[in-house]
Every structure is written in structure tokens, then in C-alpha cells.
Amino acid sequence: LVGDESGLVKTINADDGKVLRKVGQQAVGQNVGEMAFVEDGIGAKTHIVWSNKNNEITVADIEGDGETFALPQLENTKEDIVGLYIPRGPTRRLVIGTKPGGIYTVPIPEDFSSLQEFYEEEGNKIKEVFRLNSEGLAKIKANPNNLATTLLLAKEANPQILNFDTGKVVWKAKNVPNDYLDLKVPVHDLDAVFHHNAPNTFYTSTAYNKVRLYDIRGKPKPLKDVEIGYEKSPLNNIILSHSGNFIYVSNLIGSIFLLDNRKDFQMVGKLKGATGTIKKLELHPTQPILASASLDRFLRLYNLQTRALIKTFYLKQKLTNCLMIGDEMEEIPEEPEETLGDKVSTRIKVNENRELNQRAKKAGKIKLVFLPEAPANSQDEPAAEKPKKRVKTD
């Protein structure tokens, strides 16, 4: 499932890249923001919920006829939504986080066909449960250890866990010690992920090119604080492998780094192929497949066993988000296959280089000169004559 800048959510076949279905209203500037699944009582994914740039929250059946349902809007529609999800459990409710720091909850009905009657009841109104004092909320993440709590990430505010039933913070982190100039180290966490086998520990990626490890049961300061890679770019996505031994982080210039969780986040690889800002990384629930959606209009699939780029799909609009359903692929390629997306990507790069050369020629700044390759030196080749000195005569 892929969201794009036009407001559409597309269902893509991961085997051949065909668009199976489109939902939502297409309009200029209606970027799809946050996306999440809606599960039934047995944990099956039945619906998808997403927000757009106008902070409208929409629900649609994953395999339905494309009918959409609108959830109640926030009272202050100018608060941009930066996170939403539906925690598992008997109580169906949507948790919403906004950029100014507001945390809201709204009940979710079992039957979406009677939304108007459901939300007319007094106990089913959207309500604000908490307000975070920070320079901007960046993300909210579900806490698998406690379904009634959520992890808050913000600028100039340390990570903290909120109980949205009571509206109180139950855990708050502390910053690392001051630097060598005794200045406060800036804080700006962009994404986080909890460990599968140890839900009391979580990892964060920051806008300052760092990955941190926290343990809720121990000291509030991060156990690890490691700068990643040589590219000074914010790490906007972080995801954990199925085994928990590797971490994948992406930045704003199209790089995906593979970190070894057992060796203090040592960088052991890099997944190549992307050329634009990566908006979302998504791991397949059961198979070793990683999906990336980026602003260069491409959806890419990687085989994590071989670290190869196996699928590239060109989807015409800039991509803003993606999710993966648990259906298994017919066959996971071990090596990359040339697809229509690869051909389009090559053609785009050729056209861009041609346009740059034409601009340079018109500006007169660059003169392209193509020289033949110099022959290899050999014993039969005569030595080059040294230039004679010019002698001044009367």
C-alpha cells in the first residue's frame, strides 16, 4: 500500500508492480501523511486509515470497492498530524499526534457504515489527552509492552512515554552529558522502534545523524549514542530486522545503512538505488523483504539476505508513505531484475545529464573536450622529446 502526493492510496502487486486499486480523492497538494492498519478482534488487517495535508482522517477497506469513510476532524485543523496508529487490544481507538504537541484519542467503531450515529454519542467524541511543551512533535510510536502508552519524540525534548488513559508521563529520558565545551547536546529524535524480543528497549534515530539505545527499566540516559556514517544528513527512518540483530536507517539523501546491533551499531553495509529523500521504510511481516518509498517516485524492494535491489516500480507521483500486507510473494529474486522502473530511472538520469550539459554550454562555463586514450608505454615507443630552452640572442 503506497500513499503519494496527490492524495491517493494505491495497492501495488509486489510481484509485477501493477496497480490493483486506488482509494482516496486525488487533488493537488493533498499529500498522504501518516498511514496505519485497522485490525479486527482476531488481529486480521481489514482497513487502512490515513491522514492528508488538510488533516482529514480517512478509512477504507483494504479489499473493498474503494468506498472511504471520514473520521471526525480535530477542532484546530491547523495542527499538522505527524503520527497516528490504532493500538491492539479490546478497546478500538485511534491515537493521533500533532506537530504542536497535542495527543488526541478517538474511538473506532466495528462497523464504519454507521459513523455518523456512532460519533453523535457523547462518549465517542475526539478528545485531547495531553499537550507536550516542545518546539515540535516529530513522531508517536506504539509501545508493545503496554498498549495504553505511547512513545513521544520531539525537537528539544527527550523521549518520553505517555499513558493516554491517565494523561500522565510515566517515563522520561535524560540527555547525554554536555560536550567538551560544556554545552548542551541538541535533541531532535525523528523515529523510533522497539525491540521485538526486549520490548522495554527501543532505538531512536536523530536529526543529527545519530542512533541511540534506551532501556525503560534502567537509567534514563541512553545506553548507546553512536554517530552513523559519513553523510551528515538527518536519519528520518529506523527499522529493526526480524532477528533483531540488524538495524536499517535511512536519511534525506537516499541512503539506507545496515547497522550491526551486536557491534555497537557498526555500519556493515549500504543498500543502494534510491536517489531522493526516503519517506518510509517498511519491513515485510514474514519475509526478508524491505520496501522503501521515496520522493523520486519509485517504490523499491530489497532482498535482505543478499542485500540486492530486486524490484523497482515507477509510480508517477512522489511517494510519501507505504505499508506492507502479510501476503507472501510468489518468488523472492536473489538478484536484481530489470523492470520498467529501471528503464525509466535510466532515462531520467540521461535526460538530466543532457540538460545540465546544455545549460553549461550556453553559460560558457564548461567546454566539453573528449580526448582519445593515450597508448600504453612500451620499449619500442620513442621517448618524448624534452622542450628546448629558448636562448636570448643579441
Side-chain angles (χ1 to χ4, degrees):
L1 299 173
V2 179
D4 60 34
E5 65 172 352
S6 67
L8 293 178
V9 176
K10 304 174 183 177
T11 303
I12 309 297
N13 188 331
D15 291 311
D16 54 16
K18 292 183 179 179
V19 179
L20 304 179
R21 193 174 71 116
K22 299 179 182 178
V23 294
Q25 295 182 353
Q26 189 173 14
V28 178
Q30 297 296 319
N31 301 27
V32 174
E34 299 298 314
M35 296 169 56
F37 285 117
V38 182
E39 299 180 353
D40 58 12
I42 59 175
K45 297 179 176 65
T46 59
H47 293 76
I48 180 175
V49 56
W50 72 91
S51 63
N52 62 14
K53 195 172 183 179
N54 289 341
N55 299 326
E56 298 171 345
I57 304 174
T58 310
V59 178
D61 193 342
I62 292 178
E63 298 180 353
D65 55 359
E67 184 180 7
T68 59
F69 308 94
L71 296 185
Q73 283 188 278
L74 304 177
E75 293 181 0
N76 187 357
T77 57
K78 294 182 180 180
E79 294 190 8
D80 295 335
I81 297 176
V82 297
L84 59 81
Y85 71 92
I86 299 177
R88 295 179 179 179
T91 304
R92 289 164 57 93
R93 54 187 167 183
L94 178 67
V95 183
I96 306 169
T98 63
K99 190 172 183 180
I103 306 298
Y104 301 84
T105 59
V106 55
I108 300 294
E110 295 287 344
D111 184 13
F112 289 99
S113 61
S114 58
L115 279 180
Q116 185 174 358
E117 294 82 3
F118 179 80
Y119 288 115
E120 284 179 355
E121 299 179 10
E122 187 63 29
N124 296 332
K125 304 293 184 180
I126 186 171
K127 62 178 181 179
E128 181 178 345
V129 297
F130 185 74
R131 177 67 59 170
L132 177 67
N133 294 324
S134 69
E135 295 186 13
L137 186 67
K139 189 82 69 173
I140 62 172
K141 304 292 288 189
N143 182 7
N145 195 40
N146 188 344
L147 300 178
T149 60
T150 182
L151 175 64
L152 309 181
L153 306 174
K155 183 178 181 180
E156 294 304 327
N158 291 300
Q160 46 194 295
I161 295 179
L162 169 73
N163 187 320
F164 45 76
D165 282 338
T166 62
K168 296 182 179 180
V169 175
V170 297
W171 181 87
K172 187 176 182 179
K174 291 184 179 180
N175 198 4
V176 296
N178 294 348
D179 59 13
Y180 68 97
L181 294 175
D182 199 25
L183 298 175
K184 177 186 174 182
V185 177
V187 178
H188 192 183
D189 296 296
L190 298 179
D191 198 11
V193 60
F194 283 85
H195 199 287
H196 311 313
N197 304 323
N200 288 309
T201 61
F202 64 91
Y203 306 83
T204 65
S205 60
T206 73
Y208 302 101
N209 200 37
K210 289 186 176 182
V211 172
R212 291 179 173 180
L213 169 63
Y214 294 89
D215 190 346
I216 300 174
R217 300 165 299 179
K219 297 180 180 180
K221 291 186 177 182
L223 302 179
K224 296 180 181 179
D225 179 33
V226 181
E227 187 172 358
I228 303 301
Y230 54 88
E231 300 173 349
K232 302 297 182 181
S233 178
L235 303 176
N236 60 336
N237 290 286
I238 182 170
I239 200 167
L240 201 63
S241 64
H242 291 300
S243 63
N245 294 332
F246 296 99
I247 299 174
Y248 298 89
V249 293
S250 68
N251 59 20
L252 300 183
I253 56 177
S255 299
I256 304 176
F257 299 111
L258 172 60
L259 314 177
D260 195 330
N261 194 19
R262 302 160 295 181
K263 299 181 180 179
D264 293 336
F265 307 148
Q266 179 181 351
M267 189 171 68
V268 295
K270 181 180 178 181
L271 302 181
K272 299 181 180 180
T275 57
T277 298
I278 297 176
K279 298 295 290 185
K280 183 66 180 298
L281 291 180
E282 184 71 10
L283 187 66
H284 193 278
T286 57
Q287 294 182 304
I289 300 175
L290 180 69
S292 72
S294 57
L295 292 181
D296 60 0
R297 298 176 171 84
F298 286 92
L299 175 68
R300 295 177 174 85
L301 301 181
Y302 296 89
N303 185 338
L304 298 183
Q305 294 179 340
T306 61
R307 303 181 190 176
L309 175 62
I310 57 176
K311 299 284 185 179
T312 306
F313 304 129
Y314 180 68
L315 300 179
K316 298 182 180 179
Q317 282 89 18
K318 294 180 180 180
L319 308 183
T320 57
N321 210 326
C322 72
L323 293 174
M324 295 191 75
I325 307 176
D327 299 338
E328 296 186 356
M329 295 180 63
E330 296 179 0
E331 183 180 357
I332 304 177
E334 294 184 358
E335 298 296 334
E337 300 177 353
E338 187 178 18
T339 62
L340 175 62
D342 297 326
K343 297 177 183 179
V344 174
S345 178
T346 303
R347 175 57 57 187
I348 290 175
K349 291 180 180 179
V350 170
N351 291 338
E352 288 178 351
N353 293 336
R354 184 178 300 166
E355 185 178 354
L356 290 175
N357 285 338
Q358 291 177 354
R359 290 180 181 177
K361 288 180 180 179
K362 290 181 179 179
K365 295 181 179 180
I366 300 177
K367 183 178 180 181
L368 301 179
V369 180
F370 299 93
L371 300 176
E373 296 183 359
N377 293 329
S378 61
Q379 295 180 355
D380 298 333
E381 183 180 354
E385 296 183 359
K386 295 182 179 180
K388 297 181 180 179
K389 294 183 179 180
R390 299 179 63 180
V391 180
K392 187 175 181 181
T393 58
D394 295 337

